[in-house]
Amino acid sequence: MAKFGDVVQEFYVERFRANMAARADRLRGVTEPGQARAYIEDARRRVRQSFQLPEHSGEPAARMTGRLQGNGFTVEKLLYESRPGYWVSANYYLPEKVAGKLPAVLFVCGHSAAGKAGDTYQMAAQALALCGFAVLIPDPVGQGERGQFRNIPEAEALCRNCTHEHNMYGKQLLLTGEFFGTWRAFDAVRALDWLLARPEVDSTRVGVTGNSGGGTLTTYVNALDDRITMAAPCCYITRWWRHVENELPVDAEQTPPGLAAAGGEMADMLFAAAPRPLLICGQRNDFFDPRGTLECYDELRRVYRILGRENEVECFIGPVGHGLSTHLRERVVAFFCRHAGLELREISSVAPFPEKELWCTPAGNVCDLPENRRIQCFVRERAAELIRTRETLPAPELARKLRSCLKLGEVAIPNYRVLRSRPAGNEVRFSRFLLETEPGMRVTLSYVDRGEWFHLPERETGKIPLYLPHQSSFDELADGSRPGFALDYRGVGESMPEGCDQGKRDFFGPYQFDYHFASLGLLLDEPYLGGRVRDIMAACLLLNPEGERRIALTARGVGVVPGVLAALLSDRVAELQLLDRPESLAEVVQAESTPFPQSNMFPGMLAVTDLPDLYRALREKGVRLSGD
């Protein structure tokens, strides 16, 4: 049972509150146009540093595969190449009668399994086309005709829907140093490349819009591409700190690496394109907290006002729950018509096509095309290149590099509280001590034996056993078979959260608390794994302050990776026993899907090391290794 189940959650709440307070101070200092423009330029720089888009130029390779006739519009079926061999399916809506240059809208989909064929997305695209826009609506990866795990049974259990697919790609890309959001954004940028090459499109009137995951992508593309002239993100914009306070895990593409560490917040991705015409939409009953939506709007409106452009930004909160409701769709269409100089038409009815009629491929999936390459192909190739070129470093040099990657800084002997002991049956007791391993973070160290201790038991000679659990020291050691110390490092055992669940509790689930905290670490550029290593190293210092190498670590399951890293970085560990250990991190990218947790990796980890390399360095250091 978790005794301190809110500690990790509140640790991150305070971090994001502090970030918001510092950022609010900066914004209060913006009072005149030159300062406003400087803030916008700084926001643009910070956002673009988080997205390393590939080099590209010109129109992507593409082909039309069919055409549908609607009532007053046509739909062309398109395949275009985002990266070499990486094909995207899309539908291109045009008014039936084209006279002169048309304003255009890139419509990016939210997390609908049907992708571009989702009914609400079709209706929005049709309404825009009937008002006189050219509209391109591509399938996101993992959705519509771009499911990456088609006919791969071993992936079904872990990738039950499109967002689960996204989070699987996210952690595999993370090991190679890439951000899944960049892949999503680049698909949209290449869609713009194709769209703006159309002779009928007016490149001076180009909008982007989308809902939920599409609202995310709208925000990204608006910040990253200067060709956009107007944007309408829906059901996405709020505060990151609202997400943290509300225990809301987000998708793999929604954590731009290091952007919070650079002092940024979600609204800064909109500031990056200011004072471009902007409509922010939300819903009253949305899990993307509408309080945060209005807070972002107030910030933007103030800066737009300083620049004399207050009328260019607006906000609308619909009356229902998350989704592109009729209320939002009508506001978005009206916004684009106004800024494109088109007359808003009253659309009496629109009728979505059956999904199969919109297919751009014969069987409804680009992965069936012989020339197509799945995202996993790129990940594996990148991983193989990193492994091939990775330098084998001596143990001291590898340790220094890992300290930097894990953002460890100084680790000190922690202050601790003496807690009440817990009986575990068979006369076994857990004498408990609460360690503050860094400001705001507390983890539980237990001494497991048949006595009751109100001070840390000391051993004058011999090894000091320290157990690192897979999930919970109490559950795993309650039989008394491993007397000695046990550490519930952050996020397990007594600090395992009692909230942050998405449906059924599952530590390894794609939207559970462990993933949530690892994602927050990415935003802060402070790997969650580094925090766990810090907890272990601090406990080793406390138990063995004299500086001798006496700690005998035993790490199980989830505890293996932080345990191995702590053993290498600490000068207190003499022995390391590994139970239920993974063979390598390379297996994570080789597998179609894996439960291996994102919390046990840092960005670009395969460029630095892998478990076999760490075992070699430990032996070089003189640490005695054993395992199952």
Side-chain angles (χ1 to χ4, degrees):
M1 177 181 178
K3 298 293 185 182
F4 301 96
D6 63 344
V7 66
V8 184
Q9 168 71 6
E10 292 307 310
F11 173 80
Y12 281 115
V13 166
E14 292 305 316
R15 295 299 306 278
F16 277 85
R17 279 180 177 169
N19 183 58
M20 275 298 304
R23 181 176 168 278
D25 284 343
R26 292 199 307 274
L27 273 172
R28 276 192 291 270
V30 175
T31 59
E32 55 91 19
Q35 294 169 328
R37 286 190 287 270
Y39 187 91
I40 289 166
E41 187 56 38
D42 185 55
R44 179 190 297 251
R45 176 187 57 78
R46 286 182 279 129
V47 170
R48 296 191 178 193
Q49 282 179 346
S50 290
F51 292 82
Q52 300 298 317
L53 294 177
E55 294 291 331
H56 68 102
S57 61
E59 182 182 354
R63 63 179 182 268
M64 291 293 184
T65 64
R67 188 173 182 274
L68 293 174
Q69 180 64 52
N71 185 16
F73 63 93
T74 61
V75 182
E76 297 182 3
K77 304 176 185 182
L78 169 71
L79 291 170
Y80 71 89
E81 200 175 38
S82 176
R83 300 170 188 243
Y86 187 60
W87 288 88
V88 179
S89 45
N91 291 152
Y92 183 45
Y93 291 74
L94 282 171
E96 192 169 44
K97 295 179 181 179
V98 177
K101 292 279 192 176
L102 301 176
V105 171
L106 175 64
F107 190 102
V108 282
C109 299
H111 292 134
S112 162
K116 65 185 182 308
D119 286 358
T120 56
Y121 302 151
Q122 284 194 59
M123 289 189 286
Q126 290 182 25
L128 285 164
L130 290 171
C131 285
F133 289 90
V135 184
L136 182 62
I137 176 168
D139 274 327
V141 64
Q143 298 169 234
E145 296 182 79
R146 297 184 69 203
Q148 301 289 286
F149 294 119
R150 180 164 175 161
N151 300 322
I152 303 176
E154 61 266 32
E156 291 178 0
L158 294 174
C159 299
R160 295 185 296 274
N161 59 45
C162 62
T163 57
H164 293 184
E165 283 196 30
H166 291 179
N167 286 10
M168 188 64 66
Y169 316 143
K171 65 184 179 183
Q172 292 174 321
L173 283 164
L174 184 65
L175 277 173
T176 68
E178 294 193 73
F179 171 43
F180 178 55
T182 298
W183 281 68
R184 292 289 314 275
F186 193 63
D187 283 352
V189 168
R190 293 300 276 159
L192 275 175
D193 289 340
W194 183 88
L195 182 62
L196 294 178
R198 300 304 94 211
E200 67 273 10
V201 168
D202 179 358
S203 62
T204 68
R205 295 180 292 168
V206 182
V208 60
T209 190
N211 181 76
S212 188
T216 307
L217 197 53
T218 295
T219 303
Y220 292 172
V221 174
N222 187 47
L224 297 170
D225 201 307
D226 294 331
R227 297 172 295 181
I228 297 296
T229 66
M230 47 192 168
C234 301
C235 291
Y236 167 65
I237 295 298
T238 182
R239 298 285 202 199
W240 281 328
W241 74 268
R242 291 288 188 189
H243 280 338
V244 180
E245 285 197 327
N246 297 346
E247 300 183 342
L248 181 66
V250 296
D251 305 302
E253 65 262 37
Q254 292 175 329
T255 54
L259 193 49
E265 245 288 350
M266 196 182 291
D268 287 314
M269 293 188 285
L270 297 177
F271 273 115
R276 186 175 295 164
L278 176 67
L279 168 65
I280 305 169
C281 288
Q283 295 282 17
R284 183 180 180 184
N285 193 37
D286 202 336
F287 47 81
F288 284 87
D289 196 326
R291 294 175 298 173
T293 310
L294 293 170
E295 290 160 2
C296 291
Y297 170 60
D298 287 342
E299 286 183 353
L300 285 150
R301 182 174 55 176
R302 177 176 169 272
V303 172
Y304 271 63
R305 184 188 303 124
I306 291 170
L307 294 172
R309 301 284 294 275
E310 184 178 3
N311 293 334
E312 304 284 13
V313 60
E314 54 190 289
C315 183
F316 174 71
I317 304 296
V320 296
H322 185 80
L324 190 63
S325 64
T326 302
H327 322 85
L328 267 59
R329 186 170 68 246
E330 290 177 349
R331 288 297 290 257
V332 168
V333 173
F335 167 80
F336 282 134
C337 284
R338 183 166 66 256
H339 287 283
L342 295 182
E343 180 182 351
L344 177 64
R345 288 185 54 191
E346 181 177 341
I347 310 299
S348 57
S349 65
V350 290
F353 292 98
E355 182 176 354
K356 288 187 176 182
E357 291 188 21
L358 293 170
W359 281 358
C360 308
T361 58
N365 197 295
V366 296
C367 291
D368 293 332
L369 301 174
E371 67 272 31
N372 184 73
R373 305 182 71 224
R374 297 187 304 131
I375 195 169
Q376 285 87 350
C377 299
F378 294 88
V379 176
R380 290 167 186 163
E381 286 179 1
R382 175 64 177 158
E385 177 67 13
L386 292 176
I387 293 166
R388 185 182 66 81
T389 59
R390 186 172 64 217
E391 188 177 2
T392 300
L393 299 174
E397 192 174 339
L398 178 59
R400 284 193 294 271
K401 191 163 188 177
L402 287 168
R403 271 186 171 272
S404 176
C405 292
L406 293 168
K407 307 297 168 65
L408 272 176
E410 188 67 27
V411 181
I413 297 176
N415 182 50
Y416 67 91
R417 308 177 195 178
V418 179
L419 306 176
R420 302 311 90 189
S421 65
R422 296 178 65 191
N426 298 322
E427 300 182 0
V428 175
R429 297 194 73 86
F430 281 63
S431 298
R432 299 159 57 242
F433 308 89
L434 193 67
L435 281 54
E436 186 171 7
T437 58
E438 62 179 307
M441 181 55 64
R442 298 176 298 279
V443 298
T444 308
L445 178 71
S446 298
Y447 188 70
V448 186
D449 77 347
R450 296 182 184 276
E452 187 172 23
W453 299 83
F454 297 98
H455 69 280
L456 288 171
E458 298 175 4
R459 293 192 177 199
E460 295 182 0
T461 61
K463 300 296 189 295
I464 302 171
L466 177 59
Y467 180 80
L468 307 175
H470 174 59
Q471 298 280 278
S472 164
S473 295
F474 188 83
D475 293 340
E476 294 166 34
L477 302 181
D479 61 359
S481 59
R482 287 181 176 270
F485 289 100
L487 180 71
D488 281 342
Y489 46 87
R490 66 188 68 186
V492 304
E494 294 204 34
S495 68
M496 184 178 290
E498 296 175 330
C500 297
D501 289 321
Q502 298 286 302
K504 182 181 177 181
R505 167 151 285 211
D506 176 6
F507 183 92
F508 298 97
Y511 283 93
Q512 302 293 335
F513 54 85
D514 189 65
Y515 163 81
H516 175 50
F517 297 142
S519 297
L520 298 180
L522 292 176
L523 277 169
L524 292 167
D525 196 25
E526 296 175 4
Y528 191 45
L529 174 60
R532 287 178 166 168
V533 173
R534 170 181 289 277
D535 296 340
I536 300 165
M537 292 177 68
C540 290
L541 288 173
L542 178 66
L543 294 176
N544 190 21
E546 296 84 4
E548 301 174 7
R549 190 184 290 183
R550 295 178 57 202
I551 303 292
L553 275 181
T554 297
R556 182 185 296 276
V558 171
V560 166
V561 174
V564 169
L565 291 167
L568 180 60
L569 299 178
S570 172
D571 59 1
R572 304 296 202 264
V573 177
E575 299 177 4
L576 176 60
Q577 182 182 21
L578 303 175
L579 307 175
D580 304 325
R581 69 180 186 183
E583 289 304 314
S584 73
L585 299 172
E587 290 183 339
V588 175
V589 296
Q590 291 301 324
E592 291 292 349
S593 63
T594 173
F596 190 87
Q598 185 168 298
S599 59
N600 266 357
M601 58 182 74
F602 60 78
M605 196 167 179
L606 282 177
V608 179
T609 193
D610 199 348
L611 290 174
D613 195 35
L614 292 171
Y615 301 150
R616 185 265 314 160
L618 283 169
R619 294 188 183 97
E620 179 186 322
K621 185 183 175 183
V623 176
R624 182 173 173 270
L625 275 175
S626 62
D628 56 351

